[in-house]
Amino acid sequence: MEALINLAYVAAATLFVFGIKMLGSANTARRGNLISGVGMLLAVVVTLVDRSILSYTWILVGLAIGGVVGILAARLVKMTSMPELVALFNGFGGLASLLVAWAELEKIRAMGWGPYEQLMQSHPMFSSFVIYAAMLIGGVTFTGSLFAYGKLSGKVSGRAMVFGGQKAINILILLAIVGLGVFFTITSDLAVAEKVFLVAVALSLLFGVMGVMPIGGGDMPVVISLLNSLSGLAASAAGFVIYNNVLIVAGCLVGASGLILTVIMCKAMNRSLANVLFSGFGASSQSVGDDDDREPKALSVEDAYYVLEAARSVVVIPGYGMAVAQAQHAVKEMAGLLEENGAEVNFAIHPVAGRMPGHMNVLLAEADVEYEKLLEMDTVNPMMPTVDVAIVIGANDVVNPAAADDPSSPIYGMPIIEAHKAKTVFVLKRGQGKGFSGLVNKLFVLENTNMIYGDAKATISSIVNELKGAQ
Amino acid sequence: MDLVLLFFIFVLSAFLGLELISKVPSQLHTPLMSGSNAISGITIVGALLATGSESEGSLGMILGFAALVMATINVVGGYAVTDRMLQMFKKKGK
């Protein structure tokens, strides 16, 4: 029986591998997701027939509650709120791992070390260590994700929060966590161990909050994928706690894939992970470039229309502002009309535009923009000088030329979409304020740049109306 | 199961994970992340074992139950939302 269950777990793990593999290509992605879901179902069903499971009532209740909540959340959420929902789910996964570790500690307390050792054939120090690790990673993932959720959904300020002594406090918390962990691993006194454990739970929860606090909104894609990686590692650690291979494999796959995405995001910003996590980027209002007294030129929608009407090639550069304004459908409509008018329209997607990796792709896919029109940064930049109009919709840092030519800028060296090389640039923006990172954007004051102030959706809709009226 | 064997599995799956993801185009990063997020809900298996055994005392049961609810939300919600995203990616009417 035991061997059969383990074989089924191997099958489930195989399905996960195939599922992830297929998620890597647009044509097979949906089937891949389904296959990995089948793997999950298999793992759950097999676990349910495990002979060590004695009571099913609570299991069924728990599955029902979680299932209903999960389905409802996934069905009801708006596409633009996707990043925060993924962050929230991620946090739940982390919390589950923490609770599994805690439940195992309670099991040991109820049984005593002797029988537990015999049952699991494990060494007490190893069991203590992995219980602590699963709790710690799970706890940090949980509050870190909740805080990220708060930032993404605007419930707390998206800006980086930095205060004096923050690093010192973080180091103290970390030292305390490590110290308690060593003690927890070594001690065999279960009564003391539980008290230590509870303190450590509180510290890990605090550490998750403190870790995400100094990270600004523009760095969110990195944070989200890092937390995703952590939730996998937490599951993997929980797998070591209960000696279960499917948890270890699946958790580790997720941990590795999250890490890769994190590295890709960091590369896209030309910054190290440490820099993203600890620099408090954009917390202080930078004065770099403020000596520039040129004023951005404002343009009316009518004038913009005349320019667009004559344009032969247009590149749209979307950012988080397009998501906020939910302008993706209007943008798609505008692109269609411009194409009828004989222009070539493409979309330039910066890897870290938006609030999660690939955020813009999801939004534009929702609006039915063809996959082939979404160009990556490296493809679109050589085309830029031949582009008649570049339309920047709610994007800031990813088009800031300071990254290319101002060594004193904090984002110097970050690869950008070279909107400033286009013949004409329209920047759609709600107000004159700075972008999410708080940096001054020199693009806005360039000779060929025109600002169109207002809600992106309203602006695009009026352009659409002008274009329609002309036909 | 042998501990060393488990570590062996762990290391191999880490390399497998790195290998699987490194060539994914950026268009698919969001569904990929959301899909792998759902997989991290595999901790549901641990939660099932914790909820279903009576050797843990009542606190252990309660913790296991809470873990089960959380993990189920992660799994069910994660797969559903990924599917919803991918639905939009499929080619339309061509």
Side-chain angles (χ1 to χ4, degrees):
Chain A
M1 188 66 182
E2 175 107 18
L4 216 59
I5 287 175
N6 268 318
L7 271 179
Y9 282 153
V10 172
T14 313
L15 290 173
F16 289 143
V17 171
F18 273 113
I20 293 181
K21 171 100 188 136
M22 289 166 78
L23 272 172
S25 152
N27 298 324
T28 56
R30 200 171 175 206
R31 232 177 324 138
N33 189 48
L34 189 68
I35 284 181
S36 107
V38 170
M40 185 65 74
L41 190 66
L42 178 64
V44 168
V45 169
V46 164
T47 311
L48 284 176
V49 302
D50 190 320
R51 65 208 149 97
S52 68
I53 287 186
L54 301 169
S55 71
Y56 284 94
T57 328
W58 286 110
I59 286 184
L60 294 178
V61 174
L63 286 174
I65 296 176
V68 169
V69 173
I71 287 277
L72 285 181
R75 289 279 160 239
L76 298 180
V77 69
K78 280 194 192 125
M79 273 301 149
T80 38
S81 308
M82 208 54 91
E84 48 258 46
L85 187 71
V86 173
L88 200 58
F89 284 158
N90 200 36
F92 287 162
L95 181 60
S97 294
L98 180 151
L99 291 170
V100 167
W102 191 353
E104 197 71 6
L105 179 66
E106 289 304 320
K107 183 173 173 184
I108 297 174
R109 266 168 44 86
M111 289 172 84
W113 270 121
Y116 184 78
E117 248 177 277
Q118 259 192 334
L119 179 75
M120 304 295 281
Q121 293 176 343
S122 91
H123 191 277
M125 266 173 68
F126 177 75
S127 294
S128 302
F129 174 74
V130 287
I131 285 175
Y132 197 83
M135 174 281 293
L136 176 63
I137 307 174
V140 172
T141 309
F142 175 54
T143 47
S145 298
L146 279 195
F147 203 77
Y149 165 78
K151 283 192 172 196
L152 291 167
S153 60
K155 292 191 171 61
V156 291
S157 161
R159 289 215 177 278
M161 289 172 227
V162 186
F163 55 86
Q166 191 172 30
K167 274 178 194 160
I169 292 175
N170 283 349
I171 289 171
L172 280 181
I173 298 176
L174 200 61
L175 285 178
I177 287 176
V178 172
L180 288 176
V182 171
F183 181 80
F184 181 81
T185 306
I186 294 171
T187 187
S188 56
D189 184 338
L190 279 166
V192 181
E194 203 201 15
K195 292 195 182 72
V196 169
F197 186 83
L198 292 180
V199 175
V201 167
L203 283 177
S204 76
L205 296 178
L206 181 64
F207 194 67
V209 172
M210 295 293 283
V212 175
M213 198 182 275
I215 303 174
D219 289 335
M220 272 301 151
V222 180
V223 181
I224 299 291
S225 49
L226 188 65
L227 286 169
N228 186 39
S229 174
L230 280 183
S231 76
L233 288 182
S236 207
F240 278 106
V241 171
I242 58 169
Y243 276 61
N244 187 300
N245 53 20
V246 74
L247 259 74
I248 293 175
V249 173
C252 192
L253 286 174
V254 176
S257 73
L259 194 64
I260 285 264
L261 282 182
T262 311
V263 170
I264 292 175
M265 296 297 117
C266 283
K267 266 194 195 150
M269 297 192 292
N270 194 33
R271 292 161 64 198
S272 70
L273 183 57
N275 183 274
V276 172
L277 292 181
F278 303 120
S279 71
F281 191 57
S284 55
S285 52
Q286 302 279 349
S287 59
V288 189
D290 261 352
D291 51 346
D292 203 324
D293 51 4
R294 285 177 294 176
E295 278 291 313
K297 290 190 297 291
L299 193 72
S300 70
V301 170
E302 292 77 36
D303 291 337
Y305 157 70
Y306 289 119
V307 179
L308 279 173
E309 215 236 335
R312 294 298 94 188
S313 65
V314 176
V315 168
V316 178
I317 305 164
Y320 186 59
M322 185 183 81
V324 173
Q326 307 214 21
Q328 63 270 29
H329 294 283
V331 169
K332 155 80 184 170
E333 201 182 352
M334 178 185 71
L337 289 167
L338 286 173
E339 276 171 344
E340 277 172 34
N341 191 35
E344 187 197 348
V345 184
N346 283 306
F347 294 79
I349 315 286
H350 191 279
V352 291
R355 290 293 177 268
M356 71 191 289
H359 190 186
M360 291 303 123
N361 300 93
V362 173
L363 290 181
L364 292 171
E366 190 206 357
D368 275 352
V369 173
E370 284 158 55
Y371 193 68
E372 294 77 24
K373 290 192 178 296
L374 308 179
L375 304 182
E376 290 183 32
M377 181 168 61
D378 297 335
T379 320
V380 86
N381 272 344
M383 292 164 46
M384 264 335 203
T386 64
V387 166
D388 290 332
V389 184
I391 308 178
V392 179
I393 306 175
N396 276 299
D397 300 326
V398 298
V399 291
N400 190 344
D405 56 23
D406 179 4
S408 67
S409 168
I411 59 166
Y412 182 65
M414 170 176 156
I416 53 159
I417 292 182
E418 293 164 347
H420 58 281
K421 291 194 175 159
K423 286 169 196 152
T424 308
V425 183
F426 290 162
V427 177
L428 270 54
K429 210 168 172 309
R430 267 181 302 184
Q432 298 201 341
K434 292 164 185 169
F436 226 104
S437 75
L439 293 176
V440 171
N441 195 335
K442 284 193 176 162
L443 175 70
F444 299 168
V445 294
L446 290 179
E447 200 52 42
N448 53 348
T449 302
N450 297 289
M451 311 293 291
I452 307 176
Y453 293 115
D455 176 76
K457 193 177 180 181
T459 306
I460 304 265
S461 300
S462 3
I463 293 178
V464 164
N465 286 337
E466 296 269 349
L467 284 166
K468 272 185 183 159
Q471 279 167 359
Chain B
M1 197 185 286
D2 189 15
L3 186 59
V4 180
L5 200 63
L6 287 183
F7 266 118
F8 194 66
I9 292 174
F10 179 79
V11 174
L12 283 184
S13 16
F15 279 104
L16 183 61
L18 296 178
E19 202 53 39
L20 280 175
I21 309 300
S22 43
K23 289 161 208 123
V24 175
S26 62
Q27 274 92 342
L28 287 166
H29 280 166
T30 295
L32 177 75
M33 204 173 69
S34 162
S36 70
N37 180 20
I39 296 178
S40 76
I42 185 68
T43 202
I44 191 174
V45 168
L48 285 172
L49 291 170
T51 316
S53 70
E54 278 166 8
S55 55
E56 297 174 28
S58 53
L59 181 56
M61 280 278 290
I62 294 168
L63 292 170
F65 180 72
L68 181 61
V69 173
M70 291 296 156
T72 311
I73 295 176
N74 187 196
V75 167
V76 175
Y79 278 115
V81 94
T82 310
D83 190 62
R84 216 182 120 193
M85 266 189 253
L86 289 168
Q87 232 173 325
M88 305 177 319
F89 274 87
K90 69 169 184 232
K91 307 228 161 149
K92 283 146 189 139
K94 266 194 188 173

